[in-house]
Amino acid sequence: MALPLMPGNSPNAQLGKERFHKSQHFMVYSGRMTVDLEKPGIGGEPLIGQKNPPKYSVYPKGEGSDLPSWVAFDKQTLCFEAYFKETEFDAKVETHRIRKCKIFFYLEDDTIQVIELRFKNSGLPQGTLIHRHRIPLPPPNDDQFYNVFHFNINKDIVFYSRTFTVTDCDLFTKNFLSKLGLWLNEPATVPEDPYTNLRQQHEASMNPLRPYERLHPLKQFLENDGKTLRFYCLWDDTDNLFGDRRELVLHYYLADDTVEIIEVIPPNSGRVHVSKFLRRCKLPKNAPVQMKPPGAVTTRTVLNVFGSMNEGKHIVLDSCDIRAATDEFYKDSDLAIGKEINVWGRRVLLTDCDEFTKAYYRFKYGREDFTPVQHKAPPAPKPPKPVPPYNGFGSEEDSLGNCQGLLPKPVHKDFKKFMEKDSSGLNSNVLSFKARMITTDPVHRERVFLIRYYLSDDSISVFEQEQQNSGVIGGKFLERQRVKKPGQELFKSEPSEYFMAQDLYVGGSICMNGVRFQLVDADDYTLGYMELHSDEFPITNIGTIFSKLRSISEDKQNEVRTFLSNNIPINSGFVHFESFRDLVMGLNCGLTEHEALALARRYSDHPVPKEDVAVMLSVAQHYLRRKRFEDYNLLSARFVHSDRQTSGRLPAEEVRNICKAPPLYSFGGIDYHAFVAGLNWLEHPAPAVMADDILKVNARFDGGRSALKNINCSKLVKEIFSFSPNRGEAEAAAST
């Protein structure tokens, strides 16, 4: 039910309005004050019965950002092909002309530009017909402007009383109008222009019945400018007195068929250096006896000239070229490797050419044989530079640097290898081996050494583990350095050989500075690195190991069956590592200790070694105490800052990134409060750490030989010998 029109019940239309200004109804037009009745009312609202047309094109809003049109449609233009018909009143033949043009509609501001296509000898001021601006609609809608919805194919558009017929548009315009929802018409055809047809008929009638020779003096230059053929030549002048063999370089310029020859003068030859052997000119095949007078050599011959000065002179040319020049010049087709050319009486042999010249003749003439002519003996080999033997002062590299130059330079190291093999994260690129002395002394025989090989610079360091009540002081045994192989002469010219990574493997021996070591074990990282890079360490190649095992005799295979039948329980294929090692080494197939260890690691259930947290905390506090790190409050603050959920725990990756420590694995994150408390050696000191604990943490050998408990020998036998370790079969084979 409607409310009565009483005070307090009528709605107020001014509620929520913010604009109450009055529109300007007066405007100056042609110097006079006039009234514009199309202006809106108060606040810009339209009056009763008034409709405000859109000022610019209205595009449908999509899901993208609402950008202004001058940003969203920057440098995007619609292109339409059109024509207009122009009536001719003073022409004799044609009554109208069809003038083709292009209409450009700029989407950013709805401006339009019309450009007429240029035609040769049209006699019309072609080019820009309408400059870029907003064009109003024809009357009576001249208060509005053209927008994108006014355009379509096969449609007439009026620009300033001139009707343009749109015939077609480009692909971008079609796609844009289709996305706006406009249905495009079929393309229209352009009617024939009578003036254009008349011009074509007139030009066709002007063609001569007898074709003359067409001369294009610039065509060859424009096509071949900058292209030069290069030939290496030889002029043998040994027949003359004091003559010798001269090496030349011939340049043939394709732009004008000219030839230039430059002499190659070797150093210390005793000849005066000249700039050119032959200046750039056309080279005749037969050198003329005397120079021809001026005018004798012309491209065309004039037979007669007739006509008066008023009527114009006419020239009659000699179409048969009776007096044409008969001199023949060298062309590109006359040049080839192995041919002789006449350079003003000198016989020059073409011996070779460059790659561009070969490609040119291969493409144009189809030549394939470019074998050079051997005209001189091969150069003598350079005499070897003897290197004096090593004198004992400094290193061999330093002594060699003193012989290579007056000012010695430092030894150049392999920086690329250092960057590739340097320690990065958990990849230390250091091979660690456990070794013992090879000696008859029982005291030295029990000493345990840690040999480290650094892949970044091929250096070796040796540490000795401390043992209680051994009477030997442990610690550093050999400083990190490159170690020479034994048995080499000291004072020699050849560089010495050093131990490489391939010389170290489990079971092998190495002699350093007169002390022989037996490598008895390696850590898990070393064994894994050598197995991963089996191309660099052939001793860990599984294919080579399999080929050695398959080469054993039938009797040895029966021994394997008997061993498996006696040692493997029913429905179980695992044996202990020591038994497996004795079996493999007893086959006498040439396997080494390292190969047996690599084979066992392939078929073993490799357990994950357990970490001794107490020892790790002690070692960590030991290093922090040596570095005098005491700012644990800052470390705790960083952990609290990274804990966005204030749960008191952080993932292992974030903890590692904060403290730059090795990864600590935990389910549900790491309690960083307990972690910082364990590292705090000021408030919670850990027990004193021993040297054995430090070596135990730095180099872990529990992933090597000691970690191999059970070996899946059944799977190994099936893959190598292709038979199943059945107890009955093994007993039958043993009885036979």
Side-chain angles (χ1 to χ4, degrees), residues 97-98 119 192-202:
R97 290 186 180 181
I98 302 298
F119 292 95
E192 294 184 357
D193 184 15
Y195 177 74
T196 304
N197 298 336
L198 181 63
R199 291 281 303 179
Q200 292 178 356
Q201 295 175 5
H202 181 66

Side-chain angles (χ1 to χ4, degrees), residues 624 628-642 658 672-673 675-684:
L624 291 175
R628 296 192 177 278
F629 178 78
E630 300 178 358
D631 200 353
Y632 293 98
N633 295 330
L634 178 60
L635 183 60
S636 300
R638 291 182 178 178
F639 283 121
V640 172
H641 177 73
S642 300
I658 293 175
Y672 57 84
H673 295 292
F675 178 75
V676 175
L679 295 179
N680 194 343
W681 58 273
L682 297 174
E683 299 179 1
H684 307 89

Side-chain angles (χ1 to χ4, degrees), residues 20 25 40 55 115 147 152 161 176 306 340 393 399 426 432 439-440 450 519 530 583 676 693 701 703 724 734 736:
F20 299 95
H25 289 264
K55 188 177 181 181
I115 298 177
N147 55 39
N152 203 334
S161 301
F176 187 84
F306 61 92
E340 286 188 354
F393 293 95
S399 298
L426 300 179
S432 301
T439 179
T440 56
L450 176 62
L519 306 182
M530 297 177 71
L583 171 65
V676 175
D693 298 334
F701 289 93
S724 178
T736 56

